[in-house]
Amino acid sequence: MAYFDNAATTQISDNALRAYVEASKTVWGNPSSLHQEGRKAHARLEEDRTEIARLLGVSSSTLTFTSCATESDGIILESLLWAVNPGHVIIPAFEHSALTGYVRLLRQKGWKVDEVDAPNGYLDPDEIGALVNEKTRLVCCMLVNNVLGTIQPVKEIVRKIREKETQYGRAIHVHTDATQALGKIPFSLTELDVDSAAFSAHKIHGPKGVGLLYNRDRSITALSRGGEQEKALRPGTENLPGIEAMTVAVRDCVEQLPQHTRMLKALNDLVRQRLSACPHITILTPVQASSPAILNITNDRLPSEVLTRMLYDKGYCVSSGSACSNNAKGHNGAVLRAAHASSDSARGSIRISFGSTTTKEETEGLCDTLLDILGEH
Ligand code: PLP
């Protein structure tokens, strides 16, 4: 099988797996225990936090270890539900379901939710700035869209929001879901000036079941109660082997970013070039301001599920939607609708996503197979 679904998940790297096994064997104590095993585990946990903070260029006190990006997103959104006076929130319609899944709940609790579109895959900072009002408490803007790969103008959006903060004299929390950005594009959380950000280890060749929340807003509250771990923002015994392996994965992807993006771009360019001659294919992901790791294409011959299945039968894994959603087609369709793609485009769309393990030969094979299938039907 040639795997082109790295935006759904990646294969764990040897380095990360080694760290996981080593930590499982040698630092298996509970970081909250006061005996020697516990202290050893606690020390490693804090070393990991310091190392990830260094790699991301932030203070270690802003980092919370979570179980996944969905949980990191959930901690921020769920905090709103506890507010005594519901206000206004902006959740773009093409965000991951970890965020859009809160829209109905927030409305039930009396919040006004604006679900803005992203024409051609991009949020408009002026549109978002114009929607912000004296009741706005939170604005979400993902850094890289997981279906189209488009890089959002987060810095410009935050600038507009900070102007409104000054005007209204109260803080507005800006959250970015950076799950598809880490290791794929250069960015600085400090320069983006966001209040919080979500990350996931399994998207960067780390293990499943471990994620990260960057948060500098003290009003954010926990999803679950009971323990004091992670300053009570994420109670529950920490997944130290997972965190150790995530630290290695973050280090590898940050340190190898220039080479990695060059390699991803070469594969991305190869597919664009090989498919551009096919009259049945349209590339939906714009060339500029897009992650090199994601390429969304559509075709006018076969529905996406049929094409995905035929590619699978010939040894190629691609995606017809977001693997995180039970209703994958629904999520993909919602994102493409928010991007103002036609319903025909949405029907034939597939996502090809590259990773560190993708080879040029596999990519050429995918292009040949796609061209064969669409030529035959
Ligand atoms: N956010 C984005 C943008 C994603 O692409 C994904 C996974 O597809 C998630 C959140 C959820 O990540 P996790 O599986 O770590 O919960």
Side-chain angles (χ1 to χ4, degrees):
M1 271 295 171
Y3 186 74
F4 288 91
D5 200 11
N6 289 277
T9 196
T10 56
Q11 187 178 12
I12 190 167
S13 70
D14 290 343
N15 281 348
L17 187 58
R18 214 173 294 119
Y20 191 96
V21 173
E22 196 266 339
S24 303
K25 286 184 176 169
T26 61
V27 274
W28 45 265
N30 186 326
S32 301
S33 298
L34 295 178
H35 49 61
Q36 201 202 346
E37 285 308 331
R39 286 187 188 178
K40 208 162 82 182
H42 184 263
R44 283 285 271 273
L45 186 71
E46 293 315 314
E47 278 166 29
D48 288 336
R49 201 186 314 274
T50 305
E51 175 63 352
I52 297 184
R54 180 187 74 78
L55 292 161
L56 297 182
V58 297
S59 155
S60 60
S61 64
T62 57
L63 298 181
T64 301
F65 295 120
T66 63
S67 66
C68 57
T70 301
E71 187 182 29
S72 303
D73 286 330
I75 290 172
I76 300 300
L77 273 258
E78 190 99 11
S79 289
L80 292 182
L81 297 173
W82 294 98
V84 181
N85 297 312
H88 169 239
V89 41
I90 300 175
I91 304 179
F94 77 162
E95 291 284 342
H96 190 268
S97 51
L99 295 163
T100 57
Y102 278 91
V103 170
R104 188 136 57 101
L105 199 53
L106 284 163
R107 285 188 177 138
Q108 278 168 3
K109 293 275 182 185
W111 286 79
K112 179 170 184 317
V113 184
D114 272 317
E115 295 173 278
V116 290
D117 279 353
N120 303 316
Y122 298 101
L123 294 168
D124 175 358
D126 289 329
E127 186 190 359
I128 294 189
L131 284 171
V132 172
N133 59 58
E134 65 276 15
K135 293 199 155 169
T136 309
R137 300 287 171 269
L138 178 107
V139 178
C140 299
C141 49
M142 70 197 317
L143 194 44
V144 170
N145 179 263
N146 54 307
V147 173
L148 282 164
T150 44
I151 302 171
Q152 300 309 307
V154 174
K155 202 169 166 184
E156 291 71 26
I157 291 170
V158 176
R159 199 175 299 135
K160 298 269 171 199
I161 294 167
R162 300 297 174 228
E163 284 167 17
K164 293 289 178 120
E165 269 184 335
T166 312
Q167 186 183 337
Y168 299 126
R170 63 176 304 158
I172 300 170
H173 186 115
V174 186
H175 175 69
T176 192
D177 183 333
T179 307
Q180 300 288 353
L182 187 58
K184 311 299 186 311
I185 63 163
F187 66 91
S188 149
L189 288 171
T190 316
E191 276 175 27
L192 290 178
D193 193 22
V194 289
D195 297 291
S196 59
F199 302 95
S200 183
H202 75 96
K203 308 285 186 182
I204 54 165
H205 301 280
K208 278 134 187 101
V210 57
L212 188 71
L213 172 66
Y214 162 77
N215 174 48
R216 61 184 196 190
D217 177 351
R218 283 163 185 264
S219 72
I220 295 300
T221 54
L223 269 182
S224 43
R225 315 278 144 183
E228 291 301 314
Q229 293 93 345
E230 299 295 297
K231 298 196 193 113
L233 191 56
R234 203 282 176 173
T237 303
E238 299 88 345
N239 171 7
L240 189 55
I243 292 166
E244 285 267 301
M246 175 166 71
T247 306
V248 168
V250 174
R251 189 187 303 129
D252 284 350
C253 83
V254 169
E255 289 180 353
Q256 291 161 16
L257 185 67
Q259 307 91 289
H260 188 50
T261 47
R262 256 199 311 277
M263 169 259 190
L264 293 173
K265 187 172 178 311
L267 298 175
N268 192 309
D269 286 348
L270 175 69
V271 179
R272 286 178 184 274
Q273 195 221 328
R274 290 287 311 277
L275 300 187
S276 63
C278 177
H280 301 297
I281 293 177
T282 306
I283 294 181
L284 295 179
T285 303
V287 181
Q288 301 298 331
S290 291
S291 159
I294 295 179
L295 193 56
N296 199 309
I297 66 166
T298 188
N299 83 95
D300 62 9
R301 303 214 105 181
L302 294 167
S304 62
E305 310 79 61
V306 176
L307 183 53
T308 305
R309 181 64 212 222
M310 291 177 80
L311 284 168
Y312 177 74
D313 288 344
K314 290 181 184 283
Y316 296 93
C317 298
V318 301
S319 160
S320 57
S322 160
C324 301
S325 170
N326 288 333
N327 180 358
K329 196 176 162 209
H331 177 70
N332 201 14
V335 171
L336 294 172
R337 244 191 331 277
H340 295 183
S342 69
S343 51
D344 284 344
S345 287
R347 202 171 304 123
S349 142
I350 60 167
R351 180 184 70 185
I352 298 166
S353 50
F354 312 98
S356 319
T357 48
T358 318
T359 65
K360 184 171 178 233
E361 292 67 37
E362 287 172 338
T363 308
E364 279 169 345
L366 172 70
C367 294
D368 290 342
T369 310
L370 256 172
L371 293 172
D372 268 1
I373 292 173
L374 294 177
E376 273 169 25
H377 286 83

